[in-house]
Short mmCIF file of all heavy atoms in Angstrom, two decimals:
data_model
loop_
_atom_site.label_atom_id
_atom_site.label_comp_id
_atom_site.label_asym_id
_atom_site.label_seq_id
_atom_site.Cartn_x
_atom_site.Cartn_y
_atom_site.Cartn_z
N THR A 63 -11.92 -13.88 42.57
CA THR A 63 -12.14 -15.23 42.01
C THR A 63 -13.49 -15.24 41.27
O THR A 63 -14.36 -14.40 41.53
CB THR A 63 -12.20 -16.30 43.12
OG1 THR A 63 -13.35 -16.02 43.94
CG2 THR A 63 -10.95 -16.27 44.00
N PRO A 64 -13.70 -16.21 40.35
CA PRO A 64 -14.99 -16.28 39.64
C PRO A 64 -16.15 -16.37 40.62
O PRO A 64 -17.18 -15.71 40.44
CB PRO A 64 -14.86 -17.57 38.82
CG PRO A 64 -13.38 -17.77 38.65
CD PRO A 64 -12.73 -17.22 39.88
N LEU A 65 -15.97 -17.15 41.68
CA LEU A 65 -17.03 -17.26 42.70
C LEU A 65 -17.31 -15.90 43.34
O LEU A 65 -18.45 -15.49 43.53
CB LEU A 65 -16.58 -18.28 43.75
CG LEU A 65 -17.55 -18.67 44.86
CD1 LEU A 65 -17.24 -20.08 45.34
CD2 LEU A 65 -17.53 -17.71 46.03
N GLY A 66 -16.24 -15.16 43.63
CA GLY A 66 -16.37 -13.85 44.25
C GLY A 66 -17.10 -12.87 43.34
O GLY A 66 -17.98 -12.12 43.79
N LEU A 67 -16.75 -12.89 42.05
CA LEU A 67 -17.37 -11.95 41.11
C LEU A 67 -18.87 -12.24 40.99
O LEU A 67 -19.70 -11.34 40.95
CB LEU A 67 -16.71 -12.08 39.73
CG LEU A 67 -15.24 -11.62 39.68
CD1 LEU A 67 -14.63 -11.86 38.30
CD2 LEU A 67 -15.15 -10.13 40.05
N GLU A 68 -19.21 -13.53 40.97
CA GLU A 68 -20.61 -13.94 40.87
C GLU A 68 -21.37 -13.55 42.15
O GLU A 68 -22.47 -13.00 42.10
CB GLU A 68 -20.64 -15.47 40.65
CG GLU A 68 -21.99 -16.15 40.76
CD GLU A 68 -22.92 -15.80 39.61
OE1 GLU A 68 -22.44 -15.23 38.61
OE2 GLU A 68 -24.13 -16.07 39.74
N ALA A 69 -20.75 -13.84 43.31
CA ALA A 69 -21.41 -13.59 44.59
C ALA A 69 -21.64 -12.11 44.82
O ALA A 69 -22.64 -11.69 45.40
CB ALA A 69 -20.56 -14.16 45.73
N ARG A 70 -20.73 -11.29 44.35
CA ARG A 70 -20.77 -9.85 44.64
C ARG A 70 -22.07 -9.19 44.20
O ARG A 70 -22.60 -8.32 44.89
CB ARG A 70 -19.59 -9.17 43.95
CG ARG A 70 -19.55 -7.74 44.34
CD ARG A 70 -18.39 -6.98 43.81
NE ARG A 70 -18.50 -5.66 44.43
CZ ARG A 70 -17.53 -4.81 44.52
NH1 ARG A 70 -16.35 -5.13 44.06
NH2 ARG A 70 -17.72 -3.64 45.09
N ARG A 71 -22.59 -9.61 43.05
CA ARG A 71 -23.84 -9.01 42.53
C ARG A 71 -24.96 -9.16 43.54
O ARG A 71 -25.76 -8.27 43.77
CB ARG A 71 -24.25 -9.70 41.22
CG ARG A 71 -23.29 -9.40 40.07
CD ARG A 71 -23.88 -9.86 38.76
NE ARG A 71 -23.97 -11.32 38.70
CZ ARG A 71 -25.05 -11.99 38.31
NH1 ARG A 71 -26.14 -11.36 37.98
NH2 ARG A 71 -25.02 -13.32 38.25
N PHE A 72 -25.02 -10.36 44.15
CA PHE A 72 -26.08 -10.65 45.12
C PHE A 72 -25.83 -9.89 46.42
O PHE A 72 -26.74 -9.33 47.02
CB PHE A 72 -26.18 -12.15 45.39
CG PHE A 72 -26.61 -12.92 44.18
CD1 PHE A 72 -25.69 -13.44 43.29
CD2 PHE A 72 -27.96 -13.08 43.91
CE1 PHE A 72 -26.10 -14.12 42.15
CE2 PHE A 72 -28.39 -13.76 42.77
CZ PHE A 72 -27.45 -14.29 41.89
N MET A 73 -24.59 -9.89 46.86
CA MET A 73 -24.24 -9.24 48.12
C MET A 73 -24.54 -7.74 48.06
O MET A 73 -25.14 -7.18 48.97
CB MET A 73 -22.76 -9.47 48.45
CG MET A 73 -22.45 -10.94 48.68
SD MET A 73 -20.69 -11.24 48.71
CE MET A 73 -20.27 -10.69 50.35
N ASP A 74 -24.14 -7.10 46.95
CA ASP A 74 -24.35 -5.65 46.82
C ASP A 74 -25.83 -5.31 46.78
O ASP A 74 -26.23 -4.21 47.16
CB ASP A 74 -23.65 -5.12 45.57
CG ASP A 74 -22.14 -5.04 45.76
OD1 ASP A 74 -21.69 -5.27 46.90
OD2 ASP A 74 -21.42 -4.77 44.79
N ALA A 75 -26.65 -6.25 46.31
CA ALA A 75 -28.10 -5.99 46.24
C ALA A 75 -28.80 -6.38 47.54
O ALA A 75 -30.00 -6.20 47.67
CB ALA A 75 -28.69 -6.77 45.07
N GLY A 76 -28.06 -6.95 48.49
CA GLY A 76 -28.67 -7.37 49.76
C GLY A 76 -29.40 -8.70 49.65
O GLY A 76 -30.15 -9.08 50.55
N GLU A 77 -29.19 -9.41 48.53
CA GLU A 77 -29.86 -10.71 48.34
C GLU A 77 -28.94 -11.83 48.80
O GLU A 77 -27.74 -11.64 48.96
CB GLU A 77 -30.18 -10.92 46.84
CG GLU A 77 -31.05 -9.85 46.23
CD GLU A 77 -32.49 -9.86 46.76
OE1 GLU A 77 -32.92 -10.90 47.29
OE2 GLU A 77 -33.16 -8.81 46.66
N LEU A 78 -29.51 -13.03 48.94
CA LEU A 78 -28.70 -14.17 49.36
C LEU A 78 -27.95 -14.77 48.16
O LEU A 78 -28.46 -14.78 47.05
CB LEU A 78 -29.58 -15.26 49.99
CG LEU A 78 -30.26 -14.89 51.30
CD1 LEU A 78 -31.01 -16.11 51.85
CD2 LEU A 78 -29.26 -14.38 52.33
N VAL A 79 -26.77 -15.27 48.43
CA VAL A 79 -25.99 -16.00 47.43
C VAL A 79 -26.56 -17.43 47.38
O VAL A 79 -27.07 -17.95 48.39
CB VAL A 79 -24.49 -15.98 47.85
CG1 VAL A 79 -23.65 -16.87 46.98
CG2 VAL A 79 -23.97 -14.54 47.83
N ALA A 80 -26.47 -18.08 46.23
CA ALA A 80 -27.09 -19.41 46.03
C ALA A 80 -26.61 -20.42 47.09
O ALA A 80 -25.43 -20.46 47.44
CB ALA A 80 -26.75 -19.93 44.64
N ASP A 81 -27.55 -21.25 47.55
CA ASP A 81 -27.23 -22.28 48.55
C ASP A 81 -26.04 -23.14 48.10
O ASP A 81 -25.17 -23.48 48.90
CB ASP A 81 -28.45 -23.20 48.78
CG ASP A 81 -29.56 -22.50 49.54
OD1 ASP A 81 -29.29 -21.46 50.19
OD2 ASP A 81 -30.71 -23.00 49.51
N SER A 82 -26.01 -23.52 46.81
CA SER A 82 -24.96 -24.43 46.33
C SER A 82 -23.57 -23.81 46.54
O SER A 82 -22.62 -24.51 46.92
CB SER A 82 -25.18 -24.78 44.86
OG SER A 82 -25.23 -23.59 44.11
N VAL A 83 -23.46 -22.50 46.30
CA VAL A 83 -22.17 -21.81 46.47
C VAL A 83 -21.76 -21.83 47.94
O VAL A 83 -20.63 -22.17 48.30
CB VAL A 83 -22.28 -20.35 45.97
CG1 VAL A 83 -21.04 -19.55 46.32
CG2 VAL A 83 -22.54 -20.32 44.47
N ILE A 84 -22.73 -21.49 48.81
CA ILE A 84 -22.45 -21.41 50.24
C ILE A 84 -22.07 -22.79 50.78
O ILE A 84 -21.11 -22.93 51.54
CB ILE A 84 -23.72 -20.91 50.98
CG1 ILE A 84 -24.13 -19.51 50.49
CG2 ILE A 84 -23.52 -20.93 52.49
CD1 ILE A 84 -23.15 -18.41 50.79
N LEU A 85 -22.80 -23.82 50.35
CA LEU A 85 -22.54 -25.16 50.88
C LEU A 85 -21.17 -25.67 50.45
O LEU A 85 -20.50 -26.37 51.20
CB LEU A 85 -23.66 -26.11 50.46
CG LEU A 85 -25.00 -25.74 51.11
CD1 LEU A 85 -26.15 -26.54 50.52
CD2 LEU A 85 -24.93 -25.93 52.64
N GLY A 86 -20.75 -25.28 49.24
CA GLY A 86 -19.41 -25.65 48.78
C GLY A 86 -18.35 -25.06 49.69
O GLY A 86 -17.42 -25.75 50.12
N LEU A 87 -18.52 -23.78 50.03
CA LEU A 87 -17.54 -23.10 50.89
C LEU A 87 -17.50 -23.74 52.29
O LEU A 87 -16.42 -24.02 52.83
CB LEU A 87 -17.92 -21.61 51.05
CG LEU A 87 -17.75 -20.70 49.83
CD1 LEU A 87 -18.36 -19.33 50.10
CD2 LEU A 87 -16.28 -20.55 49.48
N VAL A 88 -18.68 -23.97 52.86
CA VAL A 88 -18.75 -24.52 54.21
C VAL A 88 -18.19 -25.95 54.24
O VAL A 88 -17.42 -26.32 55.13
CB VAL A 88 -20.20 -24.50 54.74
CG1 VAL A 88 -20.32 -25.23 56.08
CG2 VAL A 88 -20.69 -23.06 54.89
N GLY A 89 -18.54 -26.73 53.22
CA GLY A 89 -18.07 -28.12 53.15
C GLY A 89 -16.55 -28.20 53.17
O GLY A 89 -15.96 -29.03 53.87
N GLU A 90 -15.90 -27.30 52.42
CA GLU A 90 -14.44 -27.28 52.36
C GLU A 90 -13.84 -27.04 53.74
O GLU A 90 -12.90 -27.72 54.16
CB GLU A 90 -13.97 -26.16 51.42
CG GLU A 90 -14.01 -26.50 49.96
CD GLU A 90 -13.24 -27.79 49.66
OE1 GLU A 90 -12.07 -27.86 50.06
OE2 GLU A 90 -13.84 -28.70 49.05
N VAL A 91 -14.39 -26.06 54.46
CA VAL A 91 -13.84 -25.72 55.78
C VAL A 91 -14.08 -26.88 56.75
O VAL A 91 -13.19 -27.25 57.52
CB VAL A 91 -14.47 -24.42 56.33
CG1 VAL A 91 -13.96 -24.12 57.73
CG2 VAL A 91 -14.18 -23.25 55.41
N MET A 92 -15.27 -27.47 56.70
CA MET A 92 -15.64 -28.48 57.69
C MET A 92 -14.82 -29.77 57.56
O MET A 92 -14.62 -30.47 58.54
CB MET A 92 -17.15 -28.79 57.61
CG MET A 92 -18.03 -27.65 58.05
SD MET A 92 -17.57 -26.98 59.66
CE MET A 92 -18.05 -28.36 60.72
N LYS A 93 -14.33 -30.02 56.34
CA LYS A 93 -13.51 -31.22 56.14
C LYS A 93 -12.28 -31.19 57.04
O LYS A 93 -11.74 -32.22 57.42
CB LYS A 93 -13.03 -31.27 54.68
CG LYS A 93 -13.98 -31.97 53.75
CD LYS A 93 -13.29 -32.19 52.42
CE LYS A 93 -14.25 -31.95 51.28
NZ LYS A 93 -13.58 -31.54 50.05
N GLN A 94 -11.83 -29.96 57.36
CA GLN A 94 -10.60 -29.83 58.17
C GLN A 94 -10.89 -29.67 59.66
O GLN A 94 -9.98 -29.40 60.44
CB GLN A 94 -9.80 -28.61 57.68
CG GLN A 94 -9.25 -28.79 56.29
CD GLN A 94 -9.37 -27.51 55.47
OE1 GLN A 94 -9.31 -26.41 56.01
NE2 GLN A 94 -9.54 -27.66 54.16
N GLN A 95 -12.14 -29.84 60.07
CA GLN A 95 -12.50 -29.54 61.46
C GLN A 95 -12.72 -30.76 62.34
O GLN A 95 -13.15 -30.63 63.48
CB GLN A 95 -13.77 -28.67 61.48
CG GLN A 95 -13.51 -27.26 61.01
CD GLN A 95 -12.36 -26.62 61.76
OE1 GLN A 95 -12.32 -26.65 62.99
NE2 GLN A 95 -11.40 -26.07 61.04
N LYS A 96 -12.44 -31.94 61.80
CA LYS A 96 -12.71 -33.18 62.54
C LYS A 96 -12.16 -33.17 63.96
O LYS A 96 -12.83 -33.60 64.89
CB LYS A 96 -12.11 -34.36 61.78
CG LYS A 96 -13.15 -35.11 60.98
CD LYS A 96 -12.55 -36.38 60.42
CE LYS A 96 -13.63 -37.08 59.62
NZ LYS A 96 -13.11 -37.95 58.60
N ASP A 97 -10.94 -32.71 64.14
CA ASP A 97 -10.30 -32.78 65.45
C ASP A 97 -10.32 -31.44 66.18
O ASP A 97 -9.65 -31.28 67.20
CB ASP A 97 -8.85 -33.28 65.30
CG ASP A 97 -8.82 -34.61 64.58
OD1 ASP A 97 -9.66 -35.46 64.92
OD2 ASP A 97 -7.99 -34.79 63.68
#
Side-chain angles (χ1 to χ4, degrees):
T63 65
L65 185 153
L67 293 176
E68 169 70 13
R70 185 176 186 161
R71 291 192 292 132
F72 294 91
M73 296 168 78
D74 286 353
E77 302 291 339
L78 295 184
V79 172
D81 288 342
S82 56
V83 171
I84 300 294
L85 293 171
L87 290 172
V88 173
E90 279 306 308
V91 176
M92 292 309 291
K93 272 191 219 154
Q94 293 140 31
Q95 289 307 311
K96 260 188 180 156
D97 304 316

